[in-house]
């Protein structure tokens, strides 16, 4: 079974802190994604990566950066946390696949609160 | 621009009923469509993926169909159980960069 793990289930940080969210997948997937999920706004893509050291901006990259130094690990960085970044953060991975078979698998999520 | 809609936003039915959840998309040029389940405060669980060349996929009591020409997919749940209570989301992969376009979800409550 595909397993996507995230470093923390719950995290509380203070405004201005630098925050690292880590995601690891064990299925040798090429693609990895970071989303945030907020009530009434649904899932929004922050950044994704389709290969090691590659990254692409999603719909809401402002205030975030990412790092992918190894294939299995994709990190989301909040350079200076703000209260409006309080949210549920979800990591996902998928293979490149062929013929449209690139099922996306999710981690358990990190509930981040910025005070 | 591809848009994905799920109607209704919420559904409450008695245990044991067969039910259908709907997902519609505006552009038929898709690579695939995926159905997910999300329990409160948790991550998403992939239920079924239908490639653009397929008409349906089945897993246990779940059956998902795809009609690209009409821009519709349905998720059929047979003999519903209280444990099926969750939010169900559909998402389409619309282009070559692997991103998904998401529906807002249907919150399903199965009453014992």
């Amino acid at each position: 079974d595909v397993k996507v793990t995230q470093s923390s289930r719950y995290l509380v940080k203070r405004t201005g802190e630098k925050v690292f969210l880590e995601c690891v997948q064990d299925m040798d997937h090429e693609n990895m994604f970071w989303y945030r999920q907020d009530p009434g706004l649904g899932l929004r893509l922050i950044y994704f990566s389709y290969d090691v050291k590659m990254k692409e901006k999603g719909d809401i990259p402002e205030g975030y950066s990412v790092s992918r130094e190894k294939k299995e690990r994709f990190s989301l960085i909040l350079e200076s946390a703000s209260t409006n970044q309080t949210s549920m953060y979800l990591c996902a991975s998928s293979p490149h696949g062929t013929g449209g078979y690139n099922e996306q698998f999710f981690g358990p999520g990190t509930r981040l609160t910025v005070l | 621009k591809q848009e994905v809609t799920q109607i209704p936003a919420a559904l409450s039915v008695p245990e044991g009923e067969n039910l259908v959840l709907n997902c519609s998309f505006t552009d038929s040029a898709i690579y695939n469509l995926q159905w997910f389940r999300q329990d409160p405060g948790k991550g998403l669980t992939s239920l079924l993926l239908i490639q653009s060349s397929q008409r349906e996929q089945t897993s246990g009591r779940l059956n998902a169909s795809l009609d690209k020409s009409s821009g519709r997919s349905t998720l059929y749940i047979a003999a519903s159980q209280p444990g099926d209570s969750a939010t169900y989301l559909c998402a389409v992969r619309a282009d070559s960069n692997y991103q998904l376009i998401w529906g807002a979800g249907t919150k399903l409550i199965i009453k014992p």
Side-chain angles (χ1 to χ4, degrees), chain A residues 58-114:
Chain A
D59 300 319
I60 51 163
E62 297 79 17
Y64 303 94
S65 63
V66 290
S67 171
R68 191 159 181 211
E69 296 297 317
K70 293 185 178 181
K71 191 175 185 179
E72 68 271 19
R73 187 180 296 270
F74 192 35
S75 302
L76 180 69
I77 303 155
L78 286 66
E79 297 291 343
S80 178
S82 64
T83 55
N84 63 12
Q85 291 179 311
T86 292
S87 186
M88 170 70 101
Y89 289 87
L90 293 163
C91 175
S93 73
S94 73
H96 277 177
T98 55
Y101 195 79
N102 55 307
E103 192 172 0
Q104 209 166 110
F105 295 91
F106 279 77
T110 295
R111 172 75 64 185
L112 173 66
T113 301
V114 183

Side-chain angles (χ1 to χ4, degrees), chain A residues 1-108:
Chain A
D1 281 352
V2 175
K3 193 160 187 181
V4 180
T5 57
Q6 295 182 229
S7 51
S8 306
R9 288 285 286 122
Y10 300 94
L11 207 53
V12 180
K13 296 292 182 180
R14 298 228 173 254
T15 301
E17 281 192 75
K18 191 169 186 176
V19 181
F20 294 86
L21 302 182
E22 304 285 339
C23 176
V24 177
Q25 51 93 6
D26 67 357
M27 281 301 290
D28 202 36
H29 285 170
E30 292 84 3
N31 304 320
M32 295 189 76
F33 307 82
W34 275 107
Y35 296 90
R36 64 178 283 179
Q37 186 177 33
D38 302 285
L41 296 177
L43 274 157
R44 293 181 291 170
L45 182 65
I46 305 171
Y47 267 99
F48 69 101
S49 167
Y50 52 88
D51 205 346
V52 177
K53 296 191 186 294
M54 306 299 290
K55 60 184 179 183
E56 295 285 341
K57 292 180 180 179
D59 300 319
I60 51 163
E62 297 79 17
Y64 303 94
S65 63
V66 290
S67 171
R68 191 159 181 211
E69 296 297 317
K70 293 185 178 181
K71 191 175 185 179
E72 68 271 19
R73 187 180 296 270
F74 192 35
S75 302
L76 180 69
I77 303 155
L78 286 66
E79 297 291 343
S80 178
S82 64
T83 55
N84 63 12
Q85 291 179 311
T86 292
S87 186
M88 170 70 101
Y89 289 87
L90 293 163
C91 175
S93 73
S94 73
H96 277 177
T98 55
Y101 195 79
N102 55 307
E103 192 172 0
Q104 209 166 110
F105 295 91
F106 279 77

Side-chain angles (χ1 to χ4, degrees), chain B residues 33-112:
Chain B
L33 183 145
Q34 200 167 347
W35 281 94
F36 297 86
R37 166 191 174 132
Q38 186 175 31
D39 294 289
K42 302 288 179 63
L44 279 69
T45 300
S46 177
L47 298 174
L48 291 163
L49 179 143
I50 311 176
Q51 296 180 63
S52 62
S53 58
Q54 297 174 322
R55 297 282 294 181
E56 64 179 325
Q57 283 284 336
T58 298
S59 176
R61 293 182 295 108
L62 305 179
N63 176 277
S65 68
L66 175 65
D67 183 345
K68 279 201 316 176
S69 61
S70 66
R72 294 172 65 179
S73 176
T74 60
L75 180 67
Y76 175 83
I77 303 176
S80 59
Q81 304 169 358
D84 295 330
S85 298
T87 296
Y88 291 80
L89 296 107
C90 70
V92 301
R93 179 188 163 197
D95 56 31
S96 61
N97 70 1
Y98 306 103
Q99 290 185 68
L100 297 180
I101 311 299
W102 293 86
T106 295
K107 183 175 182 179
L108 177 64
I109 297 173
I110 307 297
K111 297 174 289 186

Side-chain angles (χ1 to χ4, degrees), chain B residues 3-45:
Chain B
E3 292 183 0
V4 180
T5 304
Q6 293 185 250
I7 295 174
L11 184 62
S12 180
V13 300
E15 180 179 4
E17 282 199 9
N18 303 323
L19 56 96
V20 173
L21 305 181
N22 297 297
C23 174
S24 61
F25 46 96
T26 55
D27 188 338
S28 62
I30 64 171
Y31 283 69
N32 59 47
L33 183 145
Q34 200 167 347
W35 281 94
F36 297 86
R37 166 191 174 132
Q38 186 175 31
D39 294 289
K42 302 288 179 63
L44 279 69
T45 300

